[in-house]
């Protein structure tokens, strides 16, 4: 019996399914979260994911590239799920998101290093909540009695002092753009970018008046329209996802170069290859070298311990 | 070898033996008239009628006559040479005559059986057949059989239960056996079954030890995940090329511990489990896999190398493995490729693939198996719950004129097994219905098993299911059928429907048939050399069948055929040498101009040419098709036993009388002659105007044969060949013939011949009815053209043809 497979392409989501008698594999792409970036198509070990540039209608904003997944090639490994900076793809086995990929340490988790120290927060400030370009942050306040505070103004100053601020960040969807960090005036949030790199725009080749990259960029402030009618990059906020690169009409006008990715330690060929595709051969080699050096150091240390014991 | 010219002239004394074959021949053909007529043929010195020539007394008559009458040529007018030629060759040899000084006139399949309602013309045809045989036998020369050494090893293609039995039997007799299996494990379908009928013993428990025996046997080498690429050579001396597909695990180093499987993060649907469950990207298809070597499926592997890491110092994993080709020499080949199961996607009324709770029997087998993906629980796909009513539907695809017309042999019995298992497992908790056409239970203990099912309270409903509907909410199914015993339409609601689908020829049978030069019947199963008397012999010498590949069989039959095929193969490989027929080509070195045409045309590469020396035939490689003979522009090549002179004599003899009313048919031995035989065996009537000449291959048909026939005024000419592209017994003889005859037909049409008078037809050995239809058609054409028109055309053609033939003979 050939495998029963299902592919549904709705307005808001794309689902792929393997329907087995006792098991069910399901991949869901949330189109409302997908920004049409390069990450999943580069990370996929089976080359099952393709991004397609959407045709642009005159006078309208450029559309984000469309992500399509080939059902015949997909093996539901979940690498796209783990790697997607925006958490737009979810892979489930019998409805559970526990991926064997992570359990068996074949693929690292991408580190979204966000540290929040709410003690430094201004009690009335909701700067981060409004600043987050993806609306992932909600600020809640808990009063001295442990109850959520509805109206801050109604409290007495001493009560106000004892109010605790809670920052709820939906980390799994966060691309670590650092916008909140910079907008936070007391400096309560510290964000480390998951992906490091550099995005450059060759101003000579960038066509004047074209704002396609700006239109699709999911991070407010990562790309800015300069006075010269050309787009400039703000490296501070850019998450190096490459959504802009996917729509740029001119070759070589815009380059997105990823140099490193912060991840949990892992020893896996799949990751090495994904890293090479996501960054570059040289950058992947650098990471491998660091890993090898660490291993060597460990081995040497182990040996010296042994020799000491023999003495 | 000497050519006819250099032989000392001797007095030709022909003895003709006319067989009655009981009433098989004598019932239609006036055998006395044939015998009387035979006496009038020049060189015939002795004529004898026998009731059964092939029986001992009949054979004794021949031996006696040879000695007493000093016969030096023998003609037996009896059945097809495909039937008894070897018998009578032995007979004449026993009398001290060279066994190639005998010819058969086929007056049973080609006269009495196919013209039963026309005894007068059948007798005429029989007389002509005898005359043609005498004409040929007169020119025959003694030939010596060629002995070739035999490799005493065997190859078994397909490691199912039949193949394993054949392998074990041969290996126990001391022969080296190679087993070729294209999946990862031997065991075949039987390894996937839960229980076997009618004893309900566990399938893998009885097969598993045999599988292990095969792997452990010092005389057996198993090539799993491998495929057959090429087979060269002939009986006793096959040269086989096998491709070992990469499994990315080194067989010698893999211990089968399974640690790699545990760390592998990727799962994919297990085809061996009918895709009901999953397996890891590095895994074995099932626990009892033999040989126990893990494989990586690169289609799903994401190359994390966790398996390499855990395999550690064993170093059994090699991601750079490439396909590897292995050459082996064997003396005999047993084909036991088995069958496939039909998936009824193209029967939309049954809803398979559309409704989740409609499954096939093979899937049910995996569900009820304790080691299966559900742990032996029969559950529905839609909600994972146990069904409370199950309907079994028989003959899905089989016994269906629109799909597979044949009965699939074992479906009735396995359905009975399923219902008994289900009833014994869930007792009153499950209601079982079986929709059947007929329950076929011919076997030891089978009918009793049927009784057992009925005693368990299973509802048997005789009727064919018209359609199945599904309730979209509950996913319950409604089966619409007719109860033909009550003569009323019936509707049954069931939680689950199990389809007993047809068993069909194995995918890839066509490739195997092409590689080994086998023919397949109308349904796609391999054809036996003789359906009754040689059920395990392939038409190619040295190749044998076992199991379902040559027609569906259940397990006990497949096992016995495996042993039977082993014994047949042992008759070849137990001998130090094997005699092959000397019907090979011989080059007249004086005539050869070293042009190299024969080298290009030989399908076997059996001709060597080192210019400027004359071309040379490699005797052992020559298969005797005669294509080179027909192609040689210098007429320097002769095919022994089928020389130009002999065939020309037959043509002339066939067209001696009223040629414009005759159809001259030149048929290739393996397909069209066999098809014509089948027309006779099946008693398909066709006009008696046809006169058939047998050649080994249509590639042997010279242009001159056709020109000569038309020169003599033949009404119609037919060349019968094997189907294009792959059916030719000699690889490509039919293509060579086609190129030749296409050009010839063009030329003849331009010269003023009606195009329908020369025809090439492709008839397989299974197409008796097609042969009869073709002859009917040609005869109708001939009648439509009319004698006068044919004669007029011939008068116009004759001088041109005479000229052409004369030029050729210079």
């Amino acid at each position: 019996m050939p495998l029963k497979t299902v592919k549904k392409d709705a307005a808001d989501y794309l689902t792929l399914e393997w329907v087995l008698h006792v098991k069910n594999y399901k991949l869901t792409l949330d189109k409302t979260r997908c920004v049409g970036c390069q990450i999943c198509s580069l990370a996929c070990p089976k080359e099952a994911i393709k991004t397609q540039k959407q045709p642009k209608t005159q006078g309208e904003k450029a559309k984000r590239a469309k992500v399509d997944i080939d059902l015949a090639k997909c093996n539901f490994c979940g690498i796209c799920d783990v790697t997607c900076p925006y958490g737009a793809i979810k892979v489930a086995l019998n409805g559970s998101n526990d991926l064997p990929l992570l359990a068996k340490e074949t693929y690292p988790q991408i580190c979204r290093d966000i540290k929040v120290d709410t003690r430094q927060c201004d009690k009335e400030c909701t700067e981060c909540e409004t600043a987050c370009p993806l609306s992932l942050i909600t600020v809640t306040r808990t009063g001295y009695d442990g109850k959520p505070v509805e109206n801050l103004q109604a409290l007495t100053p001493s009560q106000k002092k004892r109010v605790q601020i809670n920052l709820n960040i939906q980390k799994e969807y966060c691309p670590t753009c650092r916008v909140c960090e910079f907008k936070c005036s007391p400096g309560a949030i510290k964000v480390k970018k998951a992906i490091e790199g550099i995005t450059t725009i060759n101003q000579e080749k960038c066509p004047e008046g074209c704002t396609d990259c700006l239109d699709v960029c999911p991070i407010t402030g990562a790309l800015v329209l300069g006075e010269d009618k050309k787009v400039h990059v703000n490296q501070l906020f850019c998450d190096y996802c490459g959504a802009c690169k996917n729509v740029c009409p001119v070759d070589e006008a815009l380059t997105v170069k990823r140099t490193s990715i912060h991840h949990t330690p892992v020893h896996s060929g799949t990751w090495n290859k994904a890293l090479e595709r996501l960054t570059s051969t040289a950058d992947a080699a650098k990471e491998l070298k660091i890993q090898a050096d660490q291993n060597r150091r460990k081995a040497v240390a182990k040996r010296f311990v042994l020799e000491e014991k023999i003495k | 070898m000497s050519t006819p010219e250099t032989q000392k002239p001797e007095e030709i004394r022909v003895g003709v033996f006319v067989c009655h074959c009981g009433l098989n021949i004598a019932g239609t053909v006036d055998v006395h008239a044939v015998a009387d007529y035979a006496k009038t043929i020049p060189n015939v010195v002795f004529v004898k009628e026998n009731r059964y020539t092939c029986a001992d007394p009949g054979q004794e008559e021949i031996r006696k006559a040879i000695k007493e009458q000093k016969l030096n040529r023998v003609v037996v007018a009896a059945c097809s040479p495909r039937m008894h030629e070897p018998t009578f060759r032995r007979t004449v040899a026993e009398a001290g005559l060279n066994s190639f000084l005998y010819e058969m006139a086929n007056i049973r399949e080609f006269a009495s059986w196919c013209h039963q309602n026309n005894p007068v013309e059948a007798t005429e045809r029989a007389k002509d057949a005898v005359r043609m045989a005498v004409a040929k036998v007169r020119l025959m020369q003694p030939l010596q059989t060629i002995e070739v050494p035999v490799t005493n090893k065997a190859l078994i293609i397909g490691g199912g239960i039949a193949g394993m039995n054949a392998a074990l039997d041969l290996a126990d007799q001391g022969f080296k056996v190679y087993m070729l299996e294209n999946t990862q494990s031997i065991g075949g379908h039987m390894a996937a079954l839960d229980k076997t009928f009618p004893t309900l013993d566990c399938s893998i428990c009885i097969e598993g030890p045999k599988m292990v025996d095969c792997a452990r046997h010092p005389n057996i080498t198993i090539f799993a995940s491998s495929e057959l690429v090429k087979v060269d050579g002939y009986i006793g001396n096959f040269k086989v090329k096998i491709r070992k597909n990469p499994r990315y695990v080194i067989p010698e180093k893999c211990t089968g511990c399974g640690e790699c499987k545990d760390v592998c993060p990727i799962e994919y649907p297990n085809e061996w489990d009918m895709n009901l469950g999953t397996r890891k990207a590095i895994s074995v298809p099932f626990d009892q896999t033999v040989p126990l070597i893990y494989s990586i499926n690169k289609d799903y592997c994401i190359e994390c190398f966790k398996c390499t890491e855990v395999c550690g110092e064993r170093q059994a994993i090699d991601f750079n493995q490439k396909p590897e080709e292995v050459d082996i020499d064997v003396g005999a080949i047993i084909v036991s490729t088995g069958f496939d199961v039909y998936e009824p996607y193209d029967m939309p009324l049954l809803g398979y693939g559309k409704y989740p709770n409609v499954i096939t029997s093979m899937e049910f087998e995996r569900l009820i198996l304790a080691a299966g993906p559900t742990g032996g629980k029969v559950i529905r796909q839609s909600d994972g719950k146990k069904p409370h009513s199950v309907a079994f539907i028989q003959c899905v695809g089989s016994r269906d004129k629109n799909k597979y017309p044949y009965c699939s042999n074992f479906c009735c019995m396995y359905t009975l097994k399923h219902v008994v298992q289900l009833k014994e497992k869930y007792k009153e908790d499950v209601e079982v219905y079986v929709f059947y056409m007929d329950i076929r239970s011919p076997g030891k203990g089978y009918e009793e098993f049927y009784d057992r099912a009925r005693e368990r309270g299973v509802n048997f409903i005789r009727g064919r299911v018209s359609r199945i509907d599904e309730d979209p909410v509950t996913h319950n199914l409604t089966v619409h059928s007719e109860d033909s015993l009550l003569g009323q339409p019936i509707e049954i609601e069931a939680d689950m429907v199990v389809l007993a689908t047809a068993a069909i020829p194995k995918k890839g049978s066509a490739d195997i048939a092409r590689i080994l030069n086998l023919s397949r019947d109308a349904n796609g199963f391999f054809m036996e050399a003789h359906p009754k008397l040689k059920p395990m012999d392939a038409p190619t010498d040295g190749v044998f069948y076992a199991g379902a590949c040559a027609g569906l069989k259940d397990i006990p039959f497949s096992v016995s055929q495996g042993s039977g095929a082993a014994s047949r193969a042992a008759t070849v490989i137990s001998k130090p040498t094997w005699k092959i027929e000397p019907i090979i080509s011989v080059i007249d070195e004086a005539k050869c101009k070293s042009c190299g045409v024969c080298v290009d045309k030989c399908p076997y590469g059996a001709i060597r040419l080192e210019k400027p020396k004359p071309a040379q035939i490699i005797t052992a490689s020559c298969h005797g098709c005669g294509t080179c003979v027909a192609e040689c522009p210098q007429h320097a090549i002769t095919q022994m036993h089928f020389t130009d002179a002999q065939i020309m004599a037959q043509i002339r003899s066939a067209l001696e009388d009223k040629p414009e009313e005759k159809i001259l048919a030149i048929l290739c031995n393996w397909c069209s002659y066999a098809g014509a035989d089948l027309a006779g065996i099946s008693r398909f009537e066709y006009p008696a105007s046809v006169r058939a000449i047998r050649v080994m291959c249509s590639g042997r048909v010279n242009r001159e044969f056709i020109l000569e026939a038309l020169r003599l005024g033949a009404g119609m000419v037919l060349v019968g060949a094997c189907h294009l592209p792959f059916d030719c017994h000699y690889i490509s003889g039919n293509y060579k013939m086609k190129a030749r005859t296409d050009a010839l037909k063009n030329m003849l049409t331009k010269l003023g011949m009606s195009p329908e008078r020369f025809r090439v037809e492709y008839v397989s050995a299974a197409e008796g009815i097609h042969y009869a239809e073709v002859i009917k058609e040609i005869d109708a054409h001939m009648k439509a053209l009319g004698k006068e028109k044919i004669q007029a055309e011939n008068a116009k053609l004759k001088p041109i043809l005479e000229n052409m033939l004369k030029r050729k003979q210079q």
Side-chain angles (χ1 to χ4, degrees):
Chain A
M1 173 194 184
L3 174 67
K4 193 176 170 193
T5 52
V6 186
K7 183 171 177 177
K8 273 190 206 139
D9 199 350
D12 286 353
Y13 59 87
L14 170 76
T15 55
L16 307 185
E17 232 179 315
W18 275 355
V19 186
L20 280 79
H21 208 93
V22 288
K23 277 186 182 167
N24 181 297
Y25 290 81
K26 193 167 184 179
L27 183 150
T28 317
L29 169 72
D30 187 343
K31 289 188 183 175
T32 56
R33 293 195 186 275
C34 177
V35 302
C37 72
Q38 296 176 316
I39 303 292
C40 54
S41 60
L42 287 174
C44 179
K46 291 285 144 196
E47 296 174 0
I49 309 181
K50 292 272 171 298
T51 48
Q52 279 172 330
K53 199 170 164 177
Q54 294 300 96
K56 193 181 166 187
T57 24
Q58 201 65 40
E60 275 182 33
K61 279 188 168 187
K63 283 185 195 138
R64 285 170 175 172
K66 191 185 167 194
V67 171
D68 191 39
I69 308 177
D70 187 347
L71 184 54
K73 287 181 181 168
C74 177
N75 64 356
F76 295 85
C77 64
I79 285 180
C80 47
D81 177 340
V82 180
T83 327
C84 180
Y86 299 92
I89 306 181
K90 286 282 163 272
V91 174
L93 164 58
N94 289 347
S96 134
N97 191 220
D98 297 336
L99 295 172
L101 189 78
L102 298 175
K104 314 250 182 203
E105 293 189 355
T106 18
Y107 203 77
Q109 270 172 306
I110 307 299
C111 294
R112 292 182 165 98
D113 193 358
I114 307 168
K115 286 202 181 78
V116 183
D117 184 4
T118 46
R119 283 172 306 180
Q120 297 183 33
C121 279
D122 187 342
K123 305 294 181 204
E124 286 170 38
C125 168
T126 54
E127 203 67 53
C128 50
E129 191 174 314
T130 44
C132 179
L134 300 168
S135 320
L136 298 175
I137 309 179
T138 38
V139 181
T140 51
R141 301 177 181 81
T142 324
Y144 63 96
D145 48 1
K147 283 179 188 158
V149 178
E150 298 288 332
N151 189 358
L152 204 62
Q153 306 304 330
L155 301 179
T156 60
S158 65
Q159 279 174 331
K160 227 180 197 177
K161 232 179 208 173
R162 289 164 67 186
V163 164
Q164 268 189 6
I165 309 258
N166 303 313
L167 233 60
N168 180 20
I169 304 174
Q170 297 177 53
K171 259 191 176 180
E172 54 179 323
Y173 305 120
C174 173
T176 59
C177 62
R178 297 181 78 189
V179 171
C180 52
E181 177 181 344
F182 280 85
K183 289 286 157 74
C184 179
S185 35
I189 308 180
K190 289 276 176 286
V191 180
K192 207 170 163 194
K193 278 194 186 177
I195 302 173
E196 309 260 16
I198 183 159
T199 303
T200 43
I201 294 178
N202 186 341
Q203 297 299 348
E204 278 166 26
K205 291 199 175 162
C206 179
E208 200 171 303
C210 165
T211 57
D212 286 2
C213 48
L214 192 60
D215 294 346
V216 300
C217 182
I219 315 289
T220 336
L223 293 172
V224 278
L225 191 63
E227 279 170 4
D228 53 353
K229 295 275 171 73
K230 291 198 173 181
V231 182
H232 297 269
V233 188
N234 181 2
Q235 303 290 349
L236 265 182
F237 295 159
C238 181
D239 67 343
Y240 312 105
C241 68
C244 46
K245 175 70 191 165
N246 273 347
V247 294
C248 181
V250 184
D251 277 351
E252 297 166 19
L254 192 150
T255 46
V256 179
K257 201 171 164 271
R258 285 167 285 268
T259 50
S260 74
I261 297 171
H262 292 284
H263 60 87
T264 53
V266 81
H267 187 69
S268 152
T270 315
W271 168 243
N272 293 343
K273 278 193 210 87
L275 183 65
E276 187 178 341
R277 285 191 299 266
L278 284 166
T279 61
S280 65
T281 312
D283 290 320
K286 212 185 281 171
E287 184 175 317
L288 278 182
K289 194 166 171 288
I290 294 166
Q291 240 177 48
D293 281 348
Q294 281 171 353
N295 288 348
R296 227 169 285 144
R297 242 172 268 140
K298 262 186 224 161
V300 170
K302 210 169 156 190
R303 207 174 137 205
F304 280 135
V305 171
L306 268 180
E307 278 176 4
E308 270 171 25
K309 272 184 190 166
I310 293 163
K311 277 173 194 171
Chain B
M1 227 166 276
S2 46
T3 44
E5 287 80 14
T6 58
Q7 284 282 320
K8 241 192 315 185
E10 52 171 351
E11 193 210 346
I12 307 284
R13 296 176 63 84
V14 184
V16 176
F17 298 85
V18 181
C19 182
H20 292 196
C21 198
L23 282 177
N24 279 314
I25 295 170
T28 308
V29 172
D30 183 351
V31 276
H32 307 305
V34 174
D36 287 343
Y37 174 75
K39 285 175 193 153
T40 66
I41 305 171
N43 294 98
V44 175
V45 294
F46 181 76
V47 177
K48 177 86 189 165
E49 288 176 42
N50 294 104
R51 188 183 267 286
Y52 289 105
T53 316
C54 57
D56 229 18
Q59 293 193 37
E60 186 51 41
E61 294 264 18
I62 298 176
R63 285 190 285 261
K64 209 171 94 189
I66 291 171
K67 282 176 191 147
E68 287 177 1
Q69 303 291 327
K70 297 201 173 54
L71 299 178
N72 53 16
R73 300 288 190 278
V74 174
V75 168
V76 179
C79 49
S80 165
R82 289 174 54 84
M83 176 86 199
H84 271 314
E85 192 174 58
T87 317
F88 295 121
R89 272 202 187 148
R90 237 181 353 257
T91 313
V92 295
E94 279 159 8
L97 197 61
N98 183 286
S99 59
F100 290 88
L101 295 175
Y102 128 85
E103 174 70 8
M104 242 176 143
N106 185 352
I107 62 168
R108 192 177 75 175
E109 281 84 346
F110 278 16
S112 73
W113 277 356
C114 54
H115 312 306
Q116 281 187 315
N117 294 322
N118 195 350
V120 178
E121 284 191 36
T123 309
E124 281 311 304
R125 192 174 171 191
K127 283 180 187 170
D128 282 8
V130 172
R131 189 177 65 229
M132 286 158 72
V134 173
K136 184 178 181 188
V137 83
R138 239 183 249 145
L139 299 170
M140 280 187 173
Q141 295 298 322
L143 300 172
Q144 295 310 320
T145 47
I146 300 158
E147 284 201 16
V148 290
V150 169
T151 312
N152 58 356
K153 296 174 185 169
L155 169 71
I156 290 166
I157 304 169
I161 186 66
M164 286 192 321
N165 265 284
L168 285 171
D169 276 12
L170 281 173
D172 284 343
Q173 289 174 53
F175 300 112
K176 175 82 196 157
V177 180
Y178 299 101
M179 267 178 105
L180 179 66
E181 170 59 48
N182 68 351
T183 66
Q184 287 160 18
S185 172
I186 59 170
H189 281 105
M190 191 180 167
L193 305 181
D194 178 24
K195 296 217 156 73
T196 56
F197 56 79
T199 44
L200 289 190
D201 38 3
C202 158
S203 183
I204 193 71
C205 315
I206 53 176
E207 199 196 20
K210 267 195 187 298
M211 289 159 68
V212 176
D213 282 353
C214 281
R216 290 236 180 102
H217 205 293
N219 281 343
I220 300 181
T221 307
I222 301 175
F223 294 104
S225 306
S226 305
E227 52 193 301
L228 189 65
V229 180
K230 209 169 97 180
V231 175
D232 282 334
Y234 45 90
I235 182 167
N237 296 275
F238 291 108
K239 295 206 178 307
V240 182
K241 198 181 266 300
I242 288 172
R243 178 160 50 264
K244 289 208 264 179
N245 289 326
R247 51 200 321 167
Y248 307 108
V249 173
I250 302 162
E252 296 77 34
K253 292 185 179 169
C254 179
T255 59
C257 64
E259 283 174 35
C260 48
K261 180 186 77 183
D262 296 337
V263 297
C264 181
I266 298 296
E267 282 183 348
Y268 71 97
N270 190 351
E271 206 172 287
W272 202 84
D273 253 344
M274 305 291 123
N275 288 334
L276 299 178
T278 53
R279 60 187 283 196
K280 292 289 182 72
I282 181 165
S283 57
V284 285
F286 57 104
D287 295 343
Q288 294 88 348
T289 297
V290 169
L292 190 58
I293 303 162
Y294 279 69
S295 323
I296 295 174
N297 188 336
K298 276 228 176 165
D299 287 348
Y300 296 96
C301 174
I302 56 168
E303 301 190 4
C304 65
F305 305 128
K306 286 280 162 191
C307 47
T308 321
E309 207 175 296
V310 74
C311 195
E313 284 176 0
R314 282 163 286 199
Q315 295 187 346
I317 295 168
D318 176 10
F319 272 86
N320 296 320
Q321 226 173 43
K322 296 273 176 302
E324 188 190 338
E325 292 199 341
V326 186
D327 292 302
I328 53 173
D329 290 347
V330 294
I333 297 174
I334 294 176
V335 179
S336 52
T337 48
F339 64 96
D340 269 340
V341 178
Y342 164 61
E343 288 154 355
Y345 282 100
D346 49 352
M347 296 177 91
L349 292 174
L350 297 182
Y352 180 72
K354 195 165 63 175
Y355 306 145
N357 296 330
V358 179
I359 61 172
T360 64
S361 292
M362 272 312 275
E363 289 163 39
F364 185 83
E365 197 77 53
R366 298 306 294 167
L367 283 186
I368 204 159
L369 172 69
T374 58
K377 284 195 204 96
V378 179
I379 52 170
R380 314 204 303 163
Q381 196 202 316
S382 63
D383 52 12
K385 285 192 186 127
K386 186 178 72 100
H388 292 283
S389 56
V390 183
F392 288 83
I393 295 169
Q394 296 304 103
C395 299
V396 176
S398 6
R399 299 182 70 194
D400 183 342
K401 291 262 154 59
N402 300 318
K403 296 281 174 216
Y404 304 98
Y406 53 86
C407 167
S408 293
N409 185 313
F410 37 66
C411 332
C412 283
M413 288 313 295
Y414 71 60
T415 297
L416 291 178
K417 178 192 73 178
H418 287 161
V419 299
V420 168
Q421 275 183 289
L422 206 57
K423 266 289 179 191
E424 292 185 353
K425 190 163 183 158
Y426 296 120
K427 307 268 169 6
E428 298 307 310
D429 209 16
V430 63
E431 196 64 40
V432 178
Y433 302 91
V434 178
F435 291 86
Y436 69 100
M437 289 167 77
D438 301 289
I439 293 287
R440 298 189 165 175
S441 53
K444 199 174 174 185
Y446 288 9
E447 184 66 18
E448 293 87 324
F449 193 67
Y450 179 28
D451 288 338
R452 183 166 158 189
R454 281 191 293 194
E455 279 159 18
R456 293 284 181 283
V458 175
N459 304 296
F460 284 91
I461 298 161
R462 187 172 187 276
R464 205 137 167 85
V465 171
S466 56
R467 71 170 200 280
I468 296 173
D469 292 335
E470 190 197 41
D471 184 325
V473 182
T474 59
H475 295 290
N476 287 348
L477 303 148
T478 311
V479 183
H480 299 265
S481 173
E482 186 204 2
D483 189 331
S484 71
L485 296 179
L486 293 176
Q488 278 176 348
I490 185 170
E491 277 179 23
I492 299 281
E493 196 174 322
D495 293 349
M496 185 187 245
V497 169
V498 183
L499 307 175
T501 53
I504 55 174
K506 190 85 183 168
K507 199 175 148 215
S509 296
D511 295 330
I512 298 279
R514 194 187 68 235
I515 293 169
L516 289 170
N517 279 322
L518 309 176
S519 36
R520 299 197 298 153
D521 64 18
N523 296 324
F525 294 102
F526 293 124
M527 274 230 334
E528 307 91 341
H530 190 283
K532 303 281 177 307
L533 301 179
K534 289 181 173 178
M536 281 163 286
D537 290 32
T540 310
D541 285 342
V543 180
F544 306 96
Y545 300 133
C549 62
L552 298 162
K553 289 165 193 77
D554 57 10
I555 294 166
F557 272 94
S558 299
V559 170
S560 35
Q561 270 217 328
S563 297
S567 139
R568 293 288 300 128
T571 57
V572 177
I573 57 177
S574 60
K575 295 202 178 83
T577 58
W578 188 260
K579 286 178 183 145
I580 53 171
E581 291 211 347
I583 308 180
I584 53 161
S585 294
V586 179
I587 295 179
D588 184 348
E589 300 195 347
K591 283 190 188 166
C592 178
K593 293 247 165 69
S594 314
C595 66
V597 170
C598 52
V599 181
D600 292 343
K601 301 288 180 182
C602 177
Y604 296 94
I607 306 179
R608 201 187 300 132
L609 175 66
E610 286 162 18
K611 284 181 181 176
K613 276 191 272 180
Q616 271 189 323
I617 307 248
I618 307 158
T619 311
S621 302
C622 176
H623 283 55
C625 60
T627 302
C628 55
V629 185
E631 293 286 346
C632 180
Q634 301 302 324
H635 293 259
I637 313 180
T638 312
Q639 186 188 5
M640 305 316 285
H641 215 57
F642 288 90
T643 64
D644 280 0
Q646 286 166 4
I647 295 171
M648 283 293 202
Q650 277 180 294
I651 296 172
R652 286 180 195 129
S653 170
L655 300 171
E656 222 172 77
D657 193 26
K658 293 189 204 148
E660 60 283 345
E661 290 172 19
K662 303 265 164 67
I663 304 166
L664 185 87
I666 307 179
L667 307 176
C668 81
N669 181 54
W670 303 100
C671 287
S672 44
Y673 196 94
D677 266 356
L678 186 64
I681 294 167
S682 321
R683 313 294 200 276
F684 295 135
E685 290 244 351
Y686 55 84
S689 50
V690 59
R691 298 290 176 270
I693 293 172
R694 182 171 72 123
V695 289
M696 292 315 281
C697 175
S698 60
R700 171 69 183 91
V701 179
N702 283 20
R703 288 155 51 92
E704 284 78 68
F705 295 165
I706 293 147
L707 297 178
E708 176 72 6
L710 290 169
R711 186 188 72 86
L712 291 169
M716 303 298 232
V717 178
L718 165 73
V719 174
C722 304
H723 277 287
L724 299 170
F726 299 127
D727 274 12
C728 181
H729 191 79
Y730 301 100
I731 303 171
S732 57
N734 49 359
Y735 274 106
K736 311 277 159 58
M737 178 275 301
K738 185 174 185 297
R740 215 178 295 142
T741 50
D742 281 354
L744 188 64
K745 187 165 182 175
N746 261 334
M747 184 197 80
L748 288 169
T749 322
K750 276 185 192 148
L751 289 176
M753 185 197 74
S754 308
E756 61 266 41
R757 286 185 57 201
F758 173 43
R759 183 158 165 178
V760 175
E761 256 317 317
Y762 303 94
V763 182
S764 84
E767 294 176 334
I769 186 79
H770 180 51
Y771 179 77
E773 294 298 326
V774 165
I775 300 295
K776 271 186 211 162
E777 242 177 75
I778 297 178
D779 193 68
H781 281 310
M782 186 164 71
K783 298 248 162 69
L785 281 171
K787 211 163 148 186
E788 285 72 29
K789 177 135 196 274
I790 292 173
Q791 275 171 338
E793 275 183 15
N794 284 346
K796 204 175 137 202
L797 274 172
K798 198 168 178 181
I800 308 168
L801 295 178
E802 264 173 2
N803 226 339
M804 287 169 77
L805 285 163
K806 208 183 288 166
R807 216 169 42 214
K808 288 277 173 185
Q809 271 149 17
Q810 276 164 4

